[in-house]
């Protein structure tokens, strides 16, 4: 049973729109990371938050942004959606050296 | 830059047969190494991890992996595969940054395992 919950599980957006994906981590997990997994690929690191501050970022443009809240929840926001943003977005949280992944949000951009 | 190579895109084995999934990494320091499993439409489940110490690591579901620094490898093994092991398997290296214990995961492209009855 995973301690990381993501919502929604699926959604469809139109190119140019904005989207917010949500993640609820386990209590005490003050580190949260977001990954993008395109079809047939391994996950790619988007960014990481520690105690509500971004402390690491992968090779993603600024239109990918995030927030982390004191209640161990977090958000991934993507502006100006492009077709290539269609992917499974995974949230992972940690209280130390191991990450627990959620089941992901499948985003389709049409 | 760190990278992970999983040379086998797809492997098919018979139920009860042994399994070895290959993983090679490129990393400048002592790596943190991981194996994850992903069932269709699901997130990633951690099978095992290596941070330091004994190079043979035991994980869940009867899996083990061996860290070989000289070969830059971290291959995953299971002596007898069950039909429920059919899934996609990802090897990953943890890349430390910013000091402390912060790290990001760099994944390979995955190996799809099919199990024949």
């Amino acid at each position: 049973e995973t301690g990381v919950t993501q919502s929604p599980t699926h959604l469809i957006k139109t190119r140019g729109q904005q989207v917010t994906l949500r993640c609820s981590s386990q209590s005490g997990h003050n580190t949260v990371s977001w990954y993008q997994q395109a079809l047939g690929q391994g996950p790619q690191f988007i960014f990481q938050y520690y105690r509500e501050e971004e402390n690491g970022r992968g090779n993603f443009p600024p239109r990918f942004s995030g927030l982390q809240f004191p209640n161990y929840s977090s958000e991934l926001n993507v502006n100006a959606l492009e077709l290539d943003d269609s992917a499974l977005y995974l949230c992972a949280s940690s209280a130390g050296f191991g990450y627990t992944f959620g089941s992901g949000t499948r985003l389709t951009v049409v | 830059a760190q990278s992970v190579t999983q040379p086998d895109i797809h492997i098919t084995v018979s139920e009860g047969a042994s399994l070895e999934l290959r993983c090679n990494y490129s990393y400048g320091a002592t790596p943190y190494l991981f194996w994850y499993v992903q069932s269709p439409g699901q997130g990633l489940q951690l099978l095992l991890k290596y941070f330091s110490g004994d190079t043979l690591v035991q994980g869940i579901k009867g899996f083990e992996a061996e860290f070989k620094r000289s070969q830059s490898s971290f291959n995953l093994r299971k002596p007898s595969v069950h039909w429920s092991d059919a899934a996609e398997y990802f090897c990953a290296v943890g890349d430390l940054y910013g000091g402390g214990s912060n790290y990001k995961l760099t994944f390979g492209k995955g190996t799809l395992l099919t199990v024949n009855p």
Side-chain angles (χ1 to χ4, degrees):
Chain A
E1 178 184 353
T2 180
V4 179
T5 305
Q6 293 187 242
S7 62
T9 55
H10 297 81
L11 77 164
I12 299 174
K13 288 287 190 178
T14 302
R15 187 172 50 183
Q17 284 187 316
Q18 179 266 343
V19 69
T20 298
L21 310 182
R22 293 180 172 82
C23 173
S24 178
S25 305
Q26 292 179 244
S27 179
H29 281 207
N30 49 24
T31 299
V32 64
S33 302
W34 286 88
Y35 289 79
Q36 180 196 65
Q37 186 178 17
L39 202 59
Q41 301 294 316
Q44 285 195 299
F45 176 73
I46 302 175
F47 47 56
Q48 178 169 288
Y49 279 77
Y50 173 70
R51 293 185 175 178
E52 303 164 49
E53 298 277 339
E54 184 181 302
N55 73 345
R57 190 175 186 90
N59 189 25
F60 280 82
R63 61 188 184 84
F64 285 78
S65 63
L67 287 171
Q68 185 186 25
F69 303 100
N71 65 352
Y72 305 109
S73 66
S74 61
E75 292 180 352
L76 164 65
N77 299 288
V78 187
N79 294 322
L81 283 167
E82 301 177 0
L83 297 179
D84 285 348
D85 296 333
S86 296
L88 180 68
Y89 288 85
L90 296 163
C91 169
S93 71
S94 172
F97 284 91
Y99 283 96
T100 301
F101 279 82
S103 296
T105 293
R106 172 74 61 188
L107 172 65
T108 302
V109 182
V110 297
Chain B
Q2 67 286 350
S3 64
V4 176
T5 302
Q6 294 181 245
D8 304 303
I9 296 173
H10 187 193
I11 284 182
T12 299
V13 300
S14 298
E15 191 168 17
S18 64
L19 172 70
E20 182 169 25
L21 301 182
R22 296 183 292 164
C23 172
N24 293 95
Y25 67 90
S26 172
Y27 189 69
T30 300
Y32 292 172
L33 295 164
F34 305 82
W35 275 100
Y36 285 88
V37 62
Q38 186 177 38
S39 297
Q42 298 298 309
L44 299 168
Q45 182 182 24
L46 179 67
L47 288 175
L48 47 78
K49 60 184 183 286
Y50 171 79
F51 287 159
S52 64
D54 192 347
T55 56
L56 184 62
V57 181
Q58 301 297 320
I60 63 170
K61 303 184 180 186
F63 286 93
E64 67 177 26
E66 186 171 12
F67 170 53
K68 293 186 177 179
R69 184 188 302 276
S70 61
Q71 299 176 20
S72 296
S73 69
F74 189 57
N75 294 348
L76 182 72
R77 301 192 294 248
K78 187 170 185 178
S80 178
V81 170
H82 188 263
W83 65 266
S84 60
D85 293 325
E88 187 144 29
Y89 291 79
F90 291 95
C91 180
V93 61
D95 182 17
L96 286 169
Y97 67 89
S101 60
N102 295 306
Y103 67 89
K104 63 175 183 177
L105 294 170
T106 298
F107 288 87
K109 292 187 175 182
T111 297
L112 180 64
L113 175 65
T114 298
V115 181
N116 287 334

